[in-house]
Structures are given as structure tokens and as C-alpha cells.
Amino acid sequence: MGENGTDAGDDGTRAAAFARLRAEEFGYLDETGQIYLDHTGTAPVPRSLARAQAARLSGAVFGNPHTESPASAASTDLVEAARLRVLRFLDADPAEYTVVFTANASQAVKLVAEAYPFRRGRGALLLTQDNHNSVNGVREFARAARATVGLVPFAGDELRLSEPAVRRVLAGRRRGLFCYPAQSNFTGVRHPLEWVARARAAGWHTLLDAAAYLPTAPLSLRRVPADFVVASWYKVFGYPSGVGSLVARRDALAALRRPWFAGGTIQVVSAQAHWHRMAQPPAAFEDGTPDFHAVPQIGTGLDWYDGVGADAVAGHVAGLTARLLAALPALRHPAGGPLVRVYGPRGTEGRGGTVALNVLDGRGRVVDERIVARECAAAGISVRTGCFCNPGAGEEAFAIAPRLLRRTGTGRWPAETIDGYITRLGLPSGGAVRVSPGIANVAADIDRFVAFLHATFAAGTPVRGTLAPRLTC
């Protein structure tokens, strides 16, 4: 049982345990009157983790780990302990896997993308339409190498990826790198982890984006033997930010060829003779000095998270998500029309705690997401609005024809602003509203958010002032 008793099977016991967790670790949410529903962005900071970091930094001396002084040795020991702690959290054999610490999940993806042996006729890239832009960007390295780039489309109205398309491509003649998310950061859909073993058996390397998945679901690399796994730790336990990980099979990492070197990545180098020898992984992939103050906190954070209980977190978030999904269809305008449109699964089967939606006006038209963002902010509610760096899911949710997307991408449209682009596509809004309950929430947060939507938008769309132009999407 976790320290907070949160692995109890009884829903009432679990709810009471998370209420205690809320008061002890996240009490500042209630003290400041905030409703935080953006866990897919980041988890809030537990108070005990902030105290632990302060105690560590004020109780010992830590130096740059690229030398052998006592201060440096202290940092090196903690960094290496954190590496092993990550492997233990992911149930990965240290003889098969290693951990590269990065600034964030995007950098972890780029390490693979820039060094993977893409080439024409061999070394293809297979992406899915449901991917974060950090993964979508891998295609630029593949295209530069003139490699084939394939795309697995969606199938069905729940925005799940096409299983037949995955089977067909993996069984084809091409081999290379297959990248997909364990959980969509747009809809919360959990895509089959079985695809990893299927891809590897067919001769593909696999890059599994687990950034949105790990906060509410366990992952065993003994059972899901991905070649590369991308993790973002502040999404799991809130602190510190600025630290991610590339967890890689040692044999897959050995197949990468880095296009440059930096401090800490080389074993020996000559300035005059223009040659160098890379260090052994993971050092060869950690550019410059690792964040030796933040990396050790990963171990502390994972200990804290395990103390709460991964299964308990999963059950708690599933319950909150079910509560939200059950309440949203009941929201109606006075004339009876729906107040909300949900994208993706309407139930909890095969999904995580991320819900994408749009608010509708009394005539069934989408309310500009900037209006929703403004009203939420005024009420002290934190949700995410926009396109969530996942254009593929957004294009499918809004049913934008590929032909129209290609035409607007050629530069034959007059406006150079995001708002002009949206107008050209004929979209009613620039994205959606993402609500993602998590470890810091209690049921009252869901109820207050649902009540806010009804009170704010059922009578009519609030109109006050002008909306700022959209700058990115």
C-alpha cells in the first residue's frame, strides 16, 4: 500500500485518500481559489517535493559533474542514481536500456530524429496522424535524407488510429522508424502498446511518445520493448520542469550517428587534426552539462509518486474523467440544444484523463476558444485552449479536407496571420478546449467546472471587448 493509502480498491476510501493528498500537497489550490484542470500540460508542484529540493541544495555542495572533485562526485552519484531510478520506474533491464537526460521531451525526440539513419530506399519513417508536433518534426530529417515518410490515418468517430493501416504498413517491404503516442495529448485516446512488439518483430525501430501516458498509467519496457521512449517528468509529478528523458535500448542507441558533438559528449577530440571520438552512451547524447541540480529530483519525485501509488492514480483519474464525461452531455441551452461537443471517446474505455471539447452557442455554433479561455481565466480555472501542438488530431476533429490543407499550405492565400489561415480553412474557431484532471484534483473540481460552463454559456455567449489575435497554432 502507498504511503497515503491510495491503492485501496474502494472508491470512497480512495476519494478520501486523495482528499488528504490535496490538502497536504496541493492545498495552495484551495487557498488561492484555483481550479486546475491542465494535468496534460503539467502536474502542479507537491509541497513536499519543493521542500525536498530546498533541503538537498542547502545541505550539501554539488558541482559540475565533468570532473572528480568531491562536489562533482556528489553530483555524479546522484545523477547516476536517478538514471537507475528511471529504469526501475519503467521496469527496464539496465543491461538492455539506458537513460539520456534531456531538457524536455522535444529534445529527446530530436536526439533520435537527427541521428537516425534515414535514407532513400531504406530507413523509412512511419508517423501517425495523432502525434505531438515534436514527433511530427521528425519528418523533416527524414525528408532531408530523401527517405519515405508514411502516415497512419484515423478511423472512426472516436479519433482512434486505423489498426488495419498499421498492420498493412508494418508488414510491407519498407523498414525504418515507427513513431506514435502511447496516449494522445489531444483526445486522451490510448493507442495499442502491442504495436511496439509487432513493429519490432517486423524489423522496425519504434519511438514511443509516453509523455502524456506516464502520469496516469504504468509502463513496463519488459512487456513493451520499445527502442526509444520519450518521457516528461514534470507531467508526472510537477517538479522540476526542464528535465525529460530519452530511455533507449542500448543496441538501438548504438545505431544512431550524431551529426555533431559538444562538451561532455566526446571521449577525445583534436582541434587541429579535425577528428573526434564520441563517448559511450548515454554521455554521447547529453550535450553539455546536465542539470545536476534538477536531475536528482527525478528520483525524489518518482519515490513520491510511487508512494501515492500508480494504480491508485490511474483509478482516481479514470473516476474523475468518467464524472466529467457523464456530466457534459447533460449540459443544455434553454432551447434544448447541447452546450458542449466532445472530440474523441465519450467513455473511459481505452482512454486517459484528457478530454477535448468545444462550447456551442444556442444555434449549435462553436464558441471561439479565446472567449472560453478568457472566461475560464476570470473564474480562476486553468484549462488548455488552442490546437495543443497536435495538428493531425485537430484536422480530423474539424473534418478539414486534405486537399484544402494542401492548397492553404502553398502560400496562395492572402493573409499571413493564423487568423487568416483559419478563415481560409473556413473554421469556426482556432482549436478546442482541453480539460485534463489529474493527481491534484478532487471530484468537486469537476463539479465546479461543469457548473461554470452552464452558468457562463447556457444563457448566451459572453461578449465583452475584443479578442487578441492568435499568434501560433
Side-chain angles (χ1 to χ4, degrees):
M1 176 175 287
E3 292 175 2
N4 296 286
T6 50
D7 57 349
D10 178 75
D11 289 344
T13 302
R14 185 168 59 212
F18 275 92
R20 291 195 301 273
L21 184 72
R22 166 69 164 254
E24 295 168 3
E25 297 285 17
F26 308 106
Y28 56 85
L29 294 174
D30 297 312
E31 293 159 13
T32 57
Q34 299 290 306
I35 301 175
Y36 186 83
L37 291 167
D38 189 22
H39 283 74
T40 303
T42 180
V45 178
R47 282 172 163 163
S48 63
L49 292 190
R51 291 193 295 266
Q53 179 75 327
R56 177 186 296 111
L57 296 181
S58 62
V61 179
F62 301 103
N64 189 311
H66 290 158
T67 187
E68 297 181 4
S69 71
S72 296
S75 295
T76 298
D77 289 345
L78 289 179
V79 169
E80 295 309 310
R83 247 186 262 281
L84 291 175
R85 186 63 182 87
V86 169
L87 293 177
R88 181 155 60 91
F89 179 70
L90 295 176
D91 188 29
D93 184 351
E96 295 184 6
Y97 284 90
T98 190
V99 178
V100 178
F101 291 120
T102 61
N104 44 50
S106 297
Q107 188 195 10
V109 174
K110 186 184 177 186
L111 285 175
V112 178
E114 68 182 4
Y116 192 80
F118 295 117
R119 66 187 72 175
R120 186 176 184 178
R122 298 179 60 189
L125 173 65
L126 178 60
L127 298 173
T128 60
Q129 191 174 340
D130 191 1
N131 260 324
H132 190 279
N133 270 339
S134 298
V135 178
N136 288 330
V138 178
R139 75 185 186 203
E140 299 308 303
F141 290 96
R143 290 168 66 180
R146 305 182 69 185
T148 300
V149 179
L151 187 69
V152 176
F154 287 105
D157 62 359
E158 288 198 342
L159 298 184
R160 299 185 187 275
L161 295 169
S162 171
E163 177 89 21
V166 172
R167 290 179 178 272
R168 183 172 59 253
V169 177
L170 293 182
R173 296 174 58 185
R174 293 190 176 92
R175 300 291 182 270
L177 181 65
F178 175 35
C179 308
Y180 78 99
Q183 178 175 315
S184 172
N185 74 309
F186 191 105
T187 62
V189 166
R190 287 182 176 162
H191 301 299
L193 296 178
E194 294 80 10
W195 290 351
V196 167
R198 183 178 302 156
R200 293 194 73 242
W204 289 78
H205 287 110
T206 54
L207 187 153
L208 184 68
D209 178 5
Y213 178 87
L214 286 175
T216 57
L219 178 64
S220 168
L221 296 186
R222 297 179 195 271
R223 294 196 296 269
V224 184
D227 295 287
F228 306 103
V229 178
V230 174
S232 181
W233 299 116
Y234 64 85
K235 295 180 186 293
V236 179
F237 44 75
Y239 182 83
S241 59
V243 182
S245 291
L246 173 65
V247 183
R249 296 184 68 90
R250 293 180 182 273
D251 55 356
L253 208 57
L256 303 183
R257 295 294 179 264
R258 300 212 65 194
W260 80 306
F261 61 87
T265 64
I266 47 92
Q267 186 179 53
V268 63
V269 60
S270 170
Q272 297 183 78
H274 302 287
W275 61 266
H276 70 278
R277 180 182 298 164
M278 297 298 291
Q280 292 298 307
F285 290 85
E286 290 180 343
D287 300 332
T289 303
D291 191 337
F292 56 89
H293 288 317
V295 167
Q297 188 72 5
I298 295 174
T300 307
L302 291 176
D303 288 344
W304 176 86
Y305 182 87
D306 281 348
V308 178
D311 290 341
V313 174
H316 178 64
V317 175
L320 295 176
T321 305
R323 191 183 191 95
L324 176 63
L325 290 171
L328 291 176
L331 293 177
R332 297 279 166 174
H333 285 283
L339 185 67
V340 168
R341 176 182 299 156
V342 174
Y343 305 104
R346 275 57 166 183
T348 58
E349 185 72 22
R351 64 125 67 240
T354 301
V355 179
L357 59 89
N358 270 127
V359 175
L360 307 178
D361 66 14
R363 298 173 63 182
R365 299 171 302 187
V366 171
V367 175
D368 193 305
E369 88 283 353
R370 292 173 296 177
I371 295 176
V372 181
R374 182 189 64 196
E375 298 303 317
C376 283
I381 299 173
S382 292
V383 293
R384 178 77 179 269
T385 57
C387 57
F388 323 136
C389 298
N390 190 328
E395 291 163 4
E396 188 75 9
F398 288 111
I400 309 174
R403 182 178 179 182
L404 181 57
L405 289 166
R406 286 191 291 269
R407 188 166 68 243
T408 56
T410 63
R412 294 180 304 201
W413 48 287
E416 295 183 355
T417 65
I418 296 299
D419 290 315
Y421 173 74
I422 290 170
T423 299
R424 180 70 170 171
L425 291 174
L427 296 179
S429 186
V433 179
R434 188 180 71 190
V435 185
S436 48
I439 195 170
N441 288 123
V442 292
D445 295 331
I446 303 299
D447 297 342
R448 289 172 62 193
F449 174 69
V450 172
F452 156 81
L453 286 179
H454 187 269
T456 306
F457 295 101
T461 303
V463 179
R464 51 185 175 87
T466 59
L467 297 172
R470 299 177 179 91
L471 300 178
T472 60
C473 185

